[in-house]
Amino acid sequence: MASSSQAVQSPPRHVAIVMDGNGRWARKRFMPRGMGHKAGVDALVKVVQATADRGIGYLTVFAFSSENWKRPEEEVSGLMSLLIVALSKYLAKLKDDGVRIRIAGDLDSVSDKVREALRGAERETQDNSRLVLTVAFNYGGRWDIVQACQRAMAAGLRPDQLDEQALAKFMTMNYAPDPDLFIRTGGEVRLSNFLLWQSAYAELFFTDCLWPDFDGAELDRALASFYARERRFGDVGTSGEGDGAIGVIEDVQPSSQGN
Ligand code: FPP
């Protein structure tokens, strides 16, 4: 049987980013947290360009999680206003740059103004195809799996018709390949309920860089790490024995056995 493992040679098709560290970036400068988020928007616009320039077709960013409502009311409303200001400031540029904006998340529980701004950005850029930028907004990975199950049931799928492929069609980002590279800035080493289903085989890259400082050079560091990986997708990989022989137990190298 042909091996499903592969040395990474081409750019990731899809990069997902948890943009963490805005608050600390601001605090280091004795600024309010909102200034960190504002700087985070500017960083995002530059990273969108850098991603497109590197031939990556899909970028998905965690802009507001379903857990972010727990933040102080002032910060939540600041993020909502920032979203609207950011779209009015940058939408035309993103459109000119060939970026298609898509939204993943539960927009039923956001204000009409925010929902309209997000849907308007989707409509405005729907003919673009250079880079698909998915903004995960009021998004949670568990929410995504639950809504997919609900929609599959509503579509009348019987339990015996439900498998991974069938459910994947109901996930919010059914238009995108699964992320190959999952980046988290800001030093925390966790997934925080982002793209749980889609990131099953993503390569993970964690950096201490605070999001507003993330740029093309930092993206290149993440890509260099990605290119150094051997993606095995559960197979033994090119460093394995390759002949299907298991061998005596003393010969088994732990590094060639894990997933
Ligand atoms: C995490 O940093 C970041 C966020 C919760 C929001 C990310 C948003 C942007 C980059 C701006 C674009 C999005 C919108 C909604 C306009 P943190 O605040 O948790 O930072 P900390 O861990 O240093 O406190």
Side-chain angles (χ1 to χ4, degrees), residues 153 166 191 209 214 223 229-230 247:
M153 289 169 82
L191 305 181
C209 177
F214 197 88
L223 291 174
R229 313 277 177 97
E230 184 193 6

Coordinates of all heavy atoms in Angstrom, one line a residue, residues 153 166 191 209 214 223 229-230 247:
M153 N -29.0 16.3 11.3 CA -30.3 15.6 11.7 C -31.4 16.3 11.1 O -32.4 15.7 10.6 CB -30.4 15.7 13.3 CG -29.4 14.8 14.0 SD -29.4 15.1 15.8 CE -30.8 14.2 16.3
A166 N -19.6 12.7 5.8 CA -21.0 13.2 5.8 C -21.1 14.4 6.8 O -21.6 15.5 6.5 CB -22.0 12.2 6.2
L191 N -5.3 25.0 22.6 CA -6.1 25.2 21.4 C -7.3 26.1 21.6 O -7.8 26.7 20.7 CB -6.7 23.8 20.9 CG -5.6 22.8 20.6 CD1 -6.3 21.5 20.0 CD2 -4.6 23.2 19.6
C209 N 5.7 35.3 20.6 CA 5.5 36.6 20.0 C 4.0 37.1 20.3 O 3.1 36.3 20.1 CB 5.7 36.5 18.5 SG 5.3 37.9 17.5
F214 N 3.3 40.2 15.4 CA 3.4 39.1 14.4 C 3.4 39.8 13.1 O 2.6 40.6 12.8 CB 2.3 38.1 14.6 CG 2.5 36.8 13.9 CD1 3.1 35.8 14.6 CD2 2.1 36.6 12.6 CE1 3.3 34.5 13.9 CE2 2.2 35.4 12.0 CZ 2.9 34.4 12.6
L223 N 6.5 29.0 9.1 CA 6.5 28.2 7.8 C 7.8 27.3 7.8 O 7.7 26.2 7.4 CB 6.4 29.1 6.6 CG 5.1 29.8 6.4 CD1 5.2 30.7 5.2 CD2 4.0 28.7 6.1
R229 N 8.7 19.6 9.3 CA 8.0 18.5 9.8 C 7.8 17.4 8.8 O 7.8 17.6 7.6 CB 6.5 19.0 10.2 CG 6.5 20.2 11.0 CD 6.7 20.0 12.5 NE 6.7 21.3 13.2 CZ 5.6 21.8 13.8 NH1 4.5 21.2 13.8 NH2 5.7 23.0 14.4
E230 N 7.6 16.2 9.3 CA 7.2 15.1 8.5 C 5.8 14.7 8.8 O 5.5 14.4 10.0 CB 8.1 13.8 8.7 CG 7.8 12.7 7.8 CD 8.4 11.4 8.1 OE1 9.0 11.3 9.2 OE2 8.3 10.4 7.4
G247 N 9.3 -6.3 13.5 CA 10.6 -6.6 14.2 C 10.5 -6.9 15.6 O 9.4 -6.9 16.2

